[in-house]
């Protein structure tokens, strides 16, 4: 037997969360796999489940001039359908899982699962996404890069729930996304690469590069990005410095999907390709 809660309002959910030690379940596409029992047997959930999927206020999508806010019940498919969504995130969503999983799984579930191979994470890192977290005690905002602390580890207290995600809107003139998997669809990434940049009059005014599944969390280096920001001409030794930075940061593992050496080699090749084809022209 699993104890379950099925609140219909946000206040009810916060109250339950504040008064029992629960596990949050949105689409369940990660949790049902992780805790499944034998066929026909209830899953081995370690805590009472708090279902979020009946709370209609969490379905909200708000498009403002300078940001997009996405509620925690918005599915991967619904997010992909937001016309103003940055292209880099749209591309990642389009290559994720399968239509059935994208109809059930949520964007915020993908974030909170905190897998280094979570496909929405590299795009959301370069977009500087922020989360809004609530409890009965109040609300706080946190940058996604600070929220994710390690594989499956997030900065969330037992009484808190992520309410929504906010993505700043920028005019990214350059956008490059690549997922490397076993096949085109329904495959978890061996590694992934997301990069955006703004170039005005040949000058790079914003730059973001993030790599997935090549470390315990998404790898992003502000130090390397700053080497290019504000520059018009990119010198060979700048590229060499950047290569050295990423080479020391990337620390993938061997697992059933790929080898560490393959992941690192392809990640560095994608980085070189991005700079050569999009930046260093
Ligand atoms: C066949 C299959 C293929 C898949 N393919 C891919 C793929 O290609 N790429 C990929 O990245 N993933 C893939 N996944 C994983 C999964 O579908 C995604 O991670 C999905 O976005 C998870 O969302 P969910 O709503 O189902 O999360 P759930 O399973 O409900 O929850 C996931 C985690 O997030 C927490 N959580 C959920 N909502 C909140 C909230 N509001 N506040 C705080 N914590 C919360 C839960 O407690 C849990 O720890 C696949 C899964 C399956 C089964």
């Amino acid at each position: 037997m699993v104890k379950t809660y099925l609140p219909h309002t946000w206040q009810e959910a916060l109250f339950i969360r504040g008064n029992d030690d629960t596990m949050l379940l949105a689409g369940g596409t990660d949790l049902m796999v992780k805790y499944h029992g034998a066929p026909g047997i209830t899953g081995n959930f370690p805590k009472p489940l708090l279902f979020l999927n009946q709370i209609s206020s969490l379905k909200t999508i708000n498009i403002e001039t300078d940001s997009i806010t996405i509620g925690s019940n918005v599915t991967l498919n619904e997010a992909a359908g937001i016309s103003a969504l940055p292209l880099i995130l749209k591309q990642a969503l389009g290559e994720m899982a399968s239509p059935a999983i994208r109809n059930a799984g949520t964007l915020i579930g993908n974030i909170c699962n905190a897998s280094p191979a979570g496909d929405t994470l590299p795009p959301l890192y370069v977009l500087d996404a922020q989360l809004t977290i609530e409890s009965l005690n109040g609300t706080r905002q946190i940058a996604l890069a600070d929220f994710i602390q390690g594989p499956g580890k997030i900065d969330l207290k037992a009484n808190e729930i992520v309410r929504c995600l906010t993505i700043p809107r920028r005019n990214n003139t350059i956008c490059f996304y690549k997922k490397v998997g076993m096949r085109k669809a329904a495959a978890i990434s061996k590694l992934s690469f997301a990069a955006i940049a703004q170039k005005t009059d040949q000058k790079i005014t914003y730059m973001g590069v993030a790599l997935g599944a090549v470390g315990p969390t998404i790898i992003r280096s502000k130090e390397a990005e700053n080497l290019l920001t504000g520059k018009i001409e990119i010198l060979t030794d700048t590229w060499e410095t950047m290569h050295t930075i990423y080479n020391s940061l990337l620390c993938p593992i061997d697992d059933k999907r790929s080898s560490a050496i393959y992941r690192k080699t392809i990640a560095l090749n994608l980085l070189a390709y991005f700079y050569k084809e999009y930046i260093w022209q």
Side-chain angles (χ1 to χ4, degrees):
M1 277 281 279
V2 186
K3 184 174 173 186
T4 55
Y5 293 102
L6 197 61
H8 284 75
T9 67
W10 179 242
Q11 276 313 314
E12 215 185 321
L14 289 181
F15 181 81
I16 296 163
R17 187 79 169 147
N19 288 283
D20 196 356
D21 187 14
T22 54
M23 178 174 278
L24 298 166
L25 190 144
T29 62
D30 276 316
L31 286 184
M32 297 301 278
V33 174
K34 191 168 178 188
Y35 296 110
H36 74 90
I41 308 287
T42 316
N44 303 309
F45 295 99
K47 292 178 183 182
L49 292 175
L50 170 46
F51 282 77
L52 298 173
N53 58 4
Q54 298 299 309
I55 305 171
S56 54
S57 61
L58 297 182
K59 274 277 183 204
T60 316
I61 297 168
N62 244 325
I63 304 174
E64 306 283 340
T65 325
D66 55 356
S67 67
I68 301 174
T69 299
I70 299 173
S72 62
N73 264 348
V74 172
T75 64
L76 298 163
N77 247 352
E78 288 164 343
I82 302 171
S83 56
L85 201 75
L87 181 62
I88 191 100
L89 182 55
K90 242 180 209 209
Q91 286 182 337
L93 288 166
E95 291 185 37
M96 262 181 89
S98 60
I101 297 293
R102 292 199 295 265
N103 275 333
T106 60
L107 183 52
I108 285 179
N110 192 241
I111 293 170
C112 294
N113 192 47
S115 161
D119 281 329
T120 66
L121 299 181
L124 289 171
Y125 267 59
V126 296
L127 291 166
D128 294 323
Q130 294 246 340
L131 293 166
T132 301
I133 296 173
E134 283 187 26
S135 72
L136 287 177
N137 301 331
T139 304
R140 67 183 171 105
Q141 250 94 33
I142 184 167
L144 176 62
D146 296 328
F147 177 71
I148 296 183
Q149 301 184 327
K153 257 191 99 195
I154 53 176
D155 177 6
L156 190 78
K157 297 188 188 73
N159 64 344
E160 291 181 322
I161 311 177
V162 176
R163 179 164 195 151
C164 58
L165 167 80
T166 302
I167 304 170
R169 290 180 77 184
R170 288 197 202 95
N171 182 22
N172 300 309
T173 45
I174 294 172
C175 163
F176 173 59
Y177 175 76
K178 184 82 186 161
K179 167 173 175 167
V180 181
M182 283 290 278
R183 47 180 184 253
K184 274 240 168 237
I188 304 293
S189 291
K190 289 170 189 262
L191 71 130
S192 64
F193 182 97
I196 54 172
Q198 283 172 12
K199 236 180 180 182
T200 316
D201 299 331
Q202 298 300 314
K203 192 193 274 186
I204 296 160
T205 49
Y206 176 82
M207 173 93 197
V209 174
L211 297 105
V214 284
T217 58
I218 304 305
I219 305 278
R220 182 174 181 190
S221 167
K222 290 275 168 73
E223 185 195 354
E225 291 168 12
N226 287 341
L227 289 172
L228 298 189
T229 310
K231 301 279 165 29
I232 292 180
E233 195 189 357
I234 294 151
L235 305 171
T236 311
D237 60 351
T238 309
W239 159 245
E240 280 163 8
T241 312
M242 291 183 55
H243 185 273
T244 308
I245 293 172
Y246 285 108
N247 193 34
S248 69
L249 286 175
L250 304 185
C251 50
I253 54 165
D254 290 316
D255 66 12
K256 62 183 176 192
R257 276 182 217 113
S258 193
S259 65
I261 183 74
Y262 176 84
R263 287 183 157 121
K264 189 160 183 172
T265 307
I266 301 299
L268 289 171
N269 286 351
L270 285 170
L271 198 68
Y273 176 81
F274 170 67
Y275 285 111
K276 193 161 161 253
E277 295 298 319
Y278 291 83
I279 302 291
W280 201 344
Q281 306 149 333

